[in-house]
């Protein structure tokens, strides 16, 4: 998306669900430009939605979860909005942290900083 200055929301999902997820997100608000990358399982949205950021985030999150996915705000996160790390990526991060730091020297935030 080319919306300069608009907050960017990224939805991740299994590759096979990318096109369906992109279509469902596009149906939420036709004014929100988005770009789907089916080969990566990603949908990027430049959010300037008439729904408002919080409502849009909630709706996109629900759609992503229906497709075994999750969402993240691309930096910087809009003020007042946050997303807890979730889904398979969080589990992978935790397993990697444990494998690379079995004695717990690094803080737990290391495993969620993806």
């Amino acid at each position: 998306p080319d919306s300069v200055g608009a907050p960017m929301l990224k939805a991740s999902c299994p590759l096979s669900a990318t096109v369906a997820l992109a279509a469902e997100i596009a149906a939420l608000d036709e004014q929100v430009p988005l770009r789907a990358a089916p080969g990566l399982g990603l949908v990027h949205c430049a959010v300037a939605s008439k729904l408002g950021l919080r409502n849009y985030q909630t709706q996109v999150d629900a759609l992503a979860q229906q497709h075994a996915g999750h969402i993240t705000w691309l930096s910087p996160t809009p003020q007042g909005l946050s997303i807890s790390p979730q889904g398979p990526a969080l589990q992978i991060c935790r397993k990697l942290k444990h494998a690379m730091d079995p004695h717990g020297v690094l803080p737990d935030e290391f495993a969620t900083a993806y």
Side-chain angles (χ1 to χ4, degrees), residues 4 19 30 50 61 64 68 70 72 85 91 109-110:
V4 177
V19 174
E30 295 174 358
K50 63 184 177 194
D61 188 35
H70 65 280
T72 54
Q91 298 306 318
E109 290 81 22
F110 174 77

Side-chain angles (χ1 to χ4, degrees), residues 2 5 7 10-11 14-17 29-30 33 38 47 58 65 67 69 88-91 99 103-104 106:
D2 294 326
K10 177 180 76 173
L15 301 180
S16 60
D29 187 340
E30 295 174 358
V47 185
T58 301
Q65 288 183 33
H67 291 284
L90 177 60
Q91 298 306 318
H103 302 291
L106 296 171

Side-chain angles (χ1 to χ4, degrees), residues 67-114:
H67 291 284
H70 65 280
I71 61 170
T72 54
W73 284 105
L74 300 180
S75 196
T77 299
Q79 186 175 6
L81 298 177
S82 64
I83 298 171
S84 300
Q86 56 188 333
L90 177 60
Q91 298 306 318
I92 291 169
C93 287
R94 286 183 176 155
K95 288 178 183 179
L96 283 171
K97 183 195 180 291
H98 181 70
M100 300 176 99
D101 183 28
H103 302 291
V105 176
L106 296 171
D108 287 335
E109 290 81 22
F110 174 77
T112 60
Y114 67 95

